[in-house]
Amino acid sequence: MKTVRLLLAAATTSALLLLGAGTTTATASDAPGTAAAGFPIVFQNNTHGAYADAQIHITVLGQITPGQWSYLKPDGTTAHINHLDANAPGHLTKHGVNYPNMSFTLAQVGGRVPSPSSIRGGRIYLSLGSPLYIPVSPDDQGWGGPDPNNPSDPNNDVYYDWYEYTFVNGQAAYGGNTTQVDQFGFPMTARLRQTSSGYDTTRGISRSRAEVMSAYASSVGAAFQPLRSAYRIVAPRSAAAFPADYLTATVNDTWSYYASHPFTLSLPGETLSGRVAGDTLTFTRNGAGPYTLRRPTSREVMACSGALASGSDVEKRLGAEFCAAFNRGVAQNTALWHTPSAYYPGTTPKNDYAAFFHTVGLAGRAYGFPYDDINDQSSVQILGNAAPPTELTLSIGW
């Protein structure tokens, strides 16, 4: 049985976790039946006949009130998640287990639904041929997302993908992104428009699913091949079977290098410098400090977690930079950390999964690992003001 856990829908991507930080006042009601329209979300069926509109299911979850999870109804109203809905009329059932029905189909909304004007950690799940089966915790404070590592997960034979976004009208600028941080299910694009500012940008993958799956198989190394299955490609950070020591030698070599060479990272307005002794890099920021960064494990590199996401804000900042550098295969040359043309060199151990998705993402952008927004390489779209977008258009491909 899957463990129900409280989920932050930003999948630990750094840009979206920072959006709306410190904001505690909700601007949209979460009372059942209360309209919470902010801007239209348009859904386009570009599956080329593989799936009818009635077979494309949409599940939108997010925090309308900070700290409280809700789901979006087809009319644009929201309701707090409720575990009792698992036994309410119209509930879902799979493998003898009941689940709340928090989905609607593209046909039900005619391709368009209003978004709340306040939503934090929003996640728009899209699934083909089946709704998603999402349990809610007994205290109604958390929900369980699909988990490819759980062999009994009810969504293992469902094609799904998702879009992430955060927006608080007048307080937090809109930020959203397509993502492969956890997995790839099928291609989708996101076009974000704001007429008043002239913003009009499309991110995502426009190639067919068959093209993406075939190109992946011919592009990545042996360790990354088992991540691909009929239903999805699982990210190495989310695959329990991915070799735990894949980057261990690279991490050790890098730590040894900075034990015998000074570490210096020059960024706009700041310089981080220091040296490794044992398992610890001790460094200063513009001469102030000291700060420390522990040697990460290979799994921590893939997940950008543990040693790379601990300590003070300055230490977390360098941890994020190191995470990106390790994944991109440039950790031992800080002069290349912010040089995209140098990323993913062919002879250096790196994150082949992330490297691949940058080759198929529009404008070379992708969210292939949690800190892929370092040096503006991700698919994230952030408006320059806190006014609502004119429209978000999500295109579902196949």
Side-chain angles (χ1 to χ4, degrees):
M1 183 71 180
K2 175 190 298 192
T3 299
V4 179
R5 60 195 184 279
L6 182 65
L7 292 181
L8 289 176
T12 74
T13 52
S14 57
L16 290 188
L17 285 176
L18 294 175
L19 291 172
T23 302
T24 57
T25 302
T27 59
S29 172
D30 192 36
T34 301
F39 58 88
I41 302 176
V42 176
F43 299 92
Q44 294 180 341
N45 181 351
N46 284 333
T47 65
H48 306 289
Y51 292 92
D53 287 0
Q55 295 176 293
I56 297 178
H57 299 261
I58 302 161
T59 311
V60 183
L61 291 153
Q63 296 182 24
I64 308 303
T65 299
Q68 300 295 317
W69 290 97
S70 299
Y71 67 94
L72 185 67
K73 296 183 175 182
D75 62 359
T77 63
T78 59
H80 197 283
I81 58 173
N82 187 344
H83 73 285
L84 297 178
D85 288 345
N87 296 307
H91 69 264
L92 305 176
T93 301
K94 191 168 186 179
H95 300 156
V97 178
N98 293 346
Y99 300 89
N101 187 355
M102 298 182 286
S103 301
F104 49 86
T105 67
L106 187 55
Q108 283 180 270
V109 297
R112 175 182 296 254
V113 66
S115 170
S117 61
S118 170
I119 184 167
R120 297 165 176 82
R123 181 168 286 191
I124 302 173
Y125 279 109
L126 300 167
S127 54
L128 306 179
S130 167
L132 284 179
Y133 301 88
I134 298 177
V136 172
S137 61
D139 62 2
D140 298 331
Q141 295 301 300
W143 49 277
D147 181 5
N149 285 318
N150 179 0
S152 62
D153 189 284
N155 302 296
N156 280 346
D157 59 355
V158 177
Y159 296 106
Y160 61 83
D161 215 300
W162 64 86
Y163 179 83
E164 304 164 344
Y165 75 117
T166 286
F167 173 65
V168 181
N169 188 24
Q171 296 181 41
Y174 180 97
N177 59 272
T178 58
T179 178
Q180 289 81 45
V181 166
D182 289 298
Q183 63 114 56
F184 165 82
F186 49 81
M188 58 185 295
T189 62
R191 181 186 180 189
L192 181 67
R193 293 194 301 114
Q194 189 183 57
T195 302
S196 61
S197 66
Y199 188 95
D200 189 344
T201 303
T202 302
R203 301 278 188 247
I205 299 172
S206 59
R207 299 189 191 186
S208 73
R209 187 176 191 273
E211 288 174 331
V212 172
M213 298 296 274
S214 175
Y216 178 88
S218 62
S219 299
V220 302
F224 295 84
Q225 292 290 342
L227 301 177
R228 181 175 67 103
S229 69
Y231 287 95
R232 61 194 47 87
I233 306 173
V234 181
R237 83 152 193 159
S238 301
F242 186 78
D245 62 350
Y246 177 73
L247 285 178
T248 297
T250 298
V251 171
N252 291 343
D253 288 347
T254 300
W255 239 238
S256 295
Y257 178 82
Y258 290 122
S260 58
H261 297 77
F263 170 82
T264 302
L265 176 63
S266 297
L267 300 170
E270 63 181 338
T271 298
L272 308 175
S273 58
R275 191 180 288 271
V276 166
D279 287 335
T280 302
L281 168 64
T282 301
F283 67 98
T284 60
R285 176 185 180 273
N286 292 341
Y291 301 98
T292 60
L293 185 70
R294 290 186 295 107
R295 182 200 325 236
T297 66
S298 178
R299 282 206 176 277
E300 288 174 339
V301 168
M302 289 297 178
C304 297
S305 62
L308 300 177
S310 302
S312 68
D313 288 345
V314 173
E315 290 161 340
K316 289 177 181 176
R317 167 77 181 269
L318 183 56
E321 292 278 353
F322 254 113
C323 173
F326 275 126
N327 277 278
R328 294 166 178 166
V330 294
Q332 291 185 34
N333 187 347
T334 57
L336 302 180
W337 285 21
H338 285 236
T339 306
S341 61
Y343 295 165
Y344 307 111
T347 59
T348 303
K350 59 194 179 299
N351 187 337
D352 288 7
Y353 171 93
F356 167 75
F357 280 105
H358 280 279
T359 68
V360 296
L362 294 175
R365 290 174 172 269
Y367 240 134
F369 59 90
Y371 286 124
D372 213 352
D373 56 345
I374 293 292
N375 198 30
D376 193 25
Q377 297 301 297
S378 76
S379 57
V380 71
Q381 300 160 295
I382 301 177
L383 294 178
N385 58 73
T390 300
E391 186 175 84
L392 171 67
T393 302
L394 299 179
S395 173
I396 301 113
W398 188 255

